[in-house]
Amino acid sequence: MPHEQITLYTAKVCPYAQRTEIALAEAGAPFKRYEIDLGNKPEWYAPKVNPASKVPAIAYGGPDVPPENASPESTKLAESLILVEFIGDLYPSSGILPADPVQRAQARFFIETVSTKFSPNFMKFASGNPEGTRAALLVGVDAIQDLLPDGVKYAVNDQYTIADIAFAPFWARLNVLVQKGIGAYKDEERKSFLKALEDPKYAKFNGYVQRLLARQSFKSTFHEDVVAGIFTKRFGLAK
């Protein structure tokens, strides 16, 4: 049964938006992609698509119209985790939304850990917030590693799921920043963080994130040069 058409409003720099793009890639879903300039959003975006004026957002169904003329007949949806689960529901064969209730709950708990223990510290670190230290980043890494099962490829099992989709874009951006020295943090914090990750105790975590960054759905939706350029413009280089 064919699905209604999807128009995705997104931005290459945004980790939340990339979550939705990864989910669509995993599902093999056809869609229209419209890039929103987050520094100069179109006047029509909030009234026609997302009143919160954030990305990602989806216009689902309705007539086939240009993205900038989103039809009132289409259903407007927003918030990255909601959209990822929506895509998983539309395309159950993708496997991104586990069918097993226990594994689905485990995936959501993993996402909660990403949202509370890792993502906030990533932004604090990049912006030079005094709370965003190497130690705070490692608290997030420890929390993620503690949830990784032994002997499987991804966050819940060997199937790539919403849990992995939620984490990958944030880790990728942090990885670019610390590898290239981009951010308002002190350079010794960056070097200390990278050195800490070399500890054998992080072998499970390092193997996991390597698999995340090697996945085709991630690689096809990640724009490293854009991310590096915008973060450099915003925060500068470590000192």
Side-chain angles (χ1 to χ4, degrees):
M1 178 179 177
H3 294 289
E4 299 281 352
Q5 64 180 338
I6 294 173
T7 299
L8 173 67
Y9 299 87
T10 185
K12 292 176 181 177
V13 70
C14 179
Y16 299 98
Q18 192 189 3
R19 286 172 168 174
T20 308
E21 295 200 43
I22 291 173
L24 288 164
E26 287 288 331
F31 68 99
K32 292 181 182 178
R33 185 188 187 282
Y34 190 92
E35 179 79 9
I36 297 292
D37 181 351
L38 299 182
N40 185 27
K41 297 171 187 172
E43 291 183 1
W44 51 262
Y45 184 62
K48 288 188 176 181
V49 180
N50 185 3
S53 197
K54 298 189 297 184
V55 295
I58 277 177
Y60 181 71
D64 186 4
V65 295
E68 57 269 34
N69 293 321
S71 170
E73 296 178 41
S74 62
T75 300
K76 312 306 188 300
L77 303 168
E79 298 298 330
S80 65
L81 297 175
I82 292 172
L83 296 180
V84 168
E85 290 210 16
F86 174 66
I87 294 161
D89 281 329
L90 286 180
Y91 294 88
S93 62
S94 68
I96 62 173
L97 190 59
D100 178 73
V102 172
Q103 292 186 351
R104 197 179 316 134
Q106 289 174 325
R108 288 171 176 156
F109 183 71
F110 188 94
I111 291 170
E112 176 67 13
T113 301
V114 171
S115 299
T116 58
K117 300 290 182 65
F118 185 84
S119 302
N121 289 328
F122 152 65
M123 284 308 300
K124 288 177 181 177
F125 184 78
S127 63
N129 185 310
E131 296 179 4
T133 63
R134 156 203 176 274
L137 287 178
L138 289 174
V139 166
V141 170
D142 287 333
I144 296 296
Q145 175 159 269
D146 286 346
L147 294 179
L148 296 174
D150 292 326
V152 301
K153 292 171 62 177
Y154 295 114
V156 175
N157 53 32
D158 286 328
Q159 177 65 39
Y160 187 82
T161 70
I162 58 174
D164 310 296
I165 292 171
F167 180 53
F170 285 91
W171 174 257
R173 282 156 178 78
L174 176 62
N175 187 56
V176 168
L177 265 58
V178 297
Q179 295 294 341
K180 295 180 178 291
I182 299 169
Y185 51 82
K186 295 180 179 179
D187 197 48
E188 55 261 34
E189 287 283 289
R190 174 185 75 90
K191 293 177 179 177
S192 180
F193 176 67
L194 290 172
K195 183 66 175 177
L197 288 179
E198 295 175 2
D199 192 306
K201 73 177 183 178
Y202 290 119
K204 187 194 296 187
F205 178 85
N206 287 326
Y208 170 61
V209 295
Q210 286 172 10
R211 289 188 288 275
L212 292 185
L213 301 190
R215 196 162 179 94
Q216 183 57 37
S217 61
F218 169 81
K219 293 194 293 184
S220 67
T221 58
F222 185 55
H223 305 274
E224 181 175 330
D225 290 345
V226 172
V227 169
I230 290 177
F231 271 91
T232 300
K233 184 176 180 180
R234 182 175 178 185
F235 298 124
L237 299 177
K239 297 179 181 178

